[in-house]
Amino acid sequence: MSGGQTLRIVLNFSKYPELPSQASGNAGSSIADMLEGAKTQSLMKGKEKIGPITVHKQAIADFWRFNYEIPTEPGTVFNSDDLPVGTDQQHQRNISVAYAVEAFAGRDPNTTLVLSSVLNQTTLSPLFHCLADPGGESVPFRMITSTNAATFDGPLMLQKRDGTYEKISTKGMGACKWKLSHVISENGKTDYKISIDWQTYAVANDVQDWLSLPENNVIGIHWKADFIVDGDEARKGVLKLSIPDGIETTFSGRLNVQKKSGGVEV
């Protein structure tokens, strides 16, 4: 496999006969339904405050580190990349993002809380369990994070199409860009669109013997998707989530694939 190949994730878990344990309890459910169910449960007992604003508890760990582009009023867009960075700035960055989400939500506390449950790592991590090969079998990868990158000997490298190597920076590894917008239907109903642009890097899980990468080499997986949060339900404090256009992944890097079938490498 070499750079530029694009695969579309199938949105129904029933397509995957051999799911990893993290997703096996959701067989027959769509990814949107799985995320919606998990977040609904966590919202019941996972509320925290950032300043005066009530958010999903995971937002406290993530608002400061992700990039959010959020329209806060007509003609004004908040971009968290414009905020100061540094360990001593984390709390202030969290507060700034929380206020921006609240403004985007029309200052409605229920909508703010529901949106915050989507705008964090718990939306992203499950996607890694949903990749499938062309035959529909689950392909579990291990995502490289800023934390586990330190366990590798030497720098992480990605082999490009021309055979040369690119050194991968581990600073901010796994950070996602989130872009929020309103979706207004013909009848005047307002829903909320959350678009993700997420560059990740991965190696095979230990149980896989077919993803042949030299030591410290990775492949790139670039994710894009639009999540739609139902506005009427959000204003009631209920998450109703859909992914109408699916989730698209673009793979980059070069590797040799050797998969054993009945003792024979193919």
Side-chain angles (χ1 to χ4, degrees):
M1 180 175 70
S2 59
Q5 297 192 22
T6 301
L7 304 177
R8 182 170 294 276
I9 298 176
V10 180
L11 291 188
N12 194 312
F13 275 102
S14 63
K15 300 287 184 180
Y16 310 113
E18 297 180 4
L19 284 167
S21 60
Q22 295 93 327
S24 59
N26 296 282
S29 299
S30 70
I31 296 173
D33 287 344
M34 181 271 289
L35 290 172
E36 180 182 301
K39 292 176 183 299
T40 297
Q41 290 294 318
S42 66
L43 278 170
M44 294 179 182
K45 53 186 177 181
K47 302 174 186 177
E48 299 283 352
K49 282 189 177 290
I50 296 179
I53 302 171
T54 301
V55 296
H56 187 277
K57 64 180 181 179
Q58 185 63 34
I60 295 174
D62 292 337
F63 272 7
W64 65 269
R65 68 188 185 93
F66 287 148
N67 171 229
Y68 297 94
E69 185 177 311
I70 306 172
T72 52
E73 56 184 76
T76 302
V77 177
F78 166 86
N79 193 322
S80 62
D81 265 3
D82 296 334
L83 299 173
V85 297
T87 304
D88 60 335
Q89 297 291 333
Q90 290 180 9
H91 179 64
Q92 187 56 50
R93 286 176 64 90
N94 273 348
I95 290 177
S96 297
V97 174
Y99 273 118
V101 174
E102 182 190 49
F104 173 77
R107 317 251 176 231
D108 179 74
N110 283 341
T111 303
T112 302
L113 175 61
V114 167
L115 291 174
S116 74
S117 75
V118 181
L119 295 166
N120 63 64
Q121 185 68 40
T122 62
T123 298
L124 305 173
S125 297
L127 301 184
F128 259 83
H129 307 310
C130 304
L131 287 168
D133 65 18
E137 293 187 21
S138 176
V139 181
F141 290 97
R142 180 162 66 98
M143 177 180 166
I144 305 300
T145 66
S146 297
T147 301
N148 67 26
T151 65
F152 289 81
D153 276 336
L156 298 178
M157 307 296 291
L158 182 142
Q159 188 177 15
K160 298 190 290 186
R161 184 189 297 271
D162 62 4
T164 62
Y165 287 86
E166 174 187 354
K167 182 179 178 180
I168 302 301
S169 172
T170 58
K171 183 178 180 180
M173 181 72 74
C176 180
K177 296 179 181 178
W178 308 76
K179 183 176 181 179
L180 281 62
S181 56
H182 296 100
V183 179
I184 302 176
S185 62
E186 293 182 358
N187 63 7
K189 178 188 174 186
T190 299
D191 293 328
Y192 306 99
K193 181 164 75 171
I194 299 174
S195 303
I196 64 166
D197 187 332
W198 189 33
Q199 177 63 58
T200 63
Y201 297 93
V203 294
N205 275 339
D206 293 339
V207 297
Q208 293 175 271
D209 62 0
W210 60 268
L211 187 54
S212 178
L213 285 167
E215 188 175 1
N216 296 334
N217 276 33
V218 299
I219 60 169
I221 310 178
H222 190 181
W223 310 74
K224 288 188 175 183
D226 294 328
F227 299 91
I228 304 298
V229 175
D230 185 284
D232 289 345
E233 293 301 309
R235 287 182 280 277
K236 299 174 189 175
V238 176
L239 175 62
K240 184 177 180 181
L241 189 69
S242 61
I243 316 172
D245 296 323
I247 304 171
E248 191 170 280
T249 57
T250 301
F251 290 77
S252 59
R254 296 184 65 182
L255 52 85
N256 295 318
V257 175
Q258 293 182 325
K259 187 171 184 179
K260 292 182 178 180
S261 177
V264 180
E265 291 188 350
V266 296

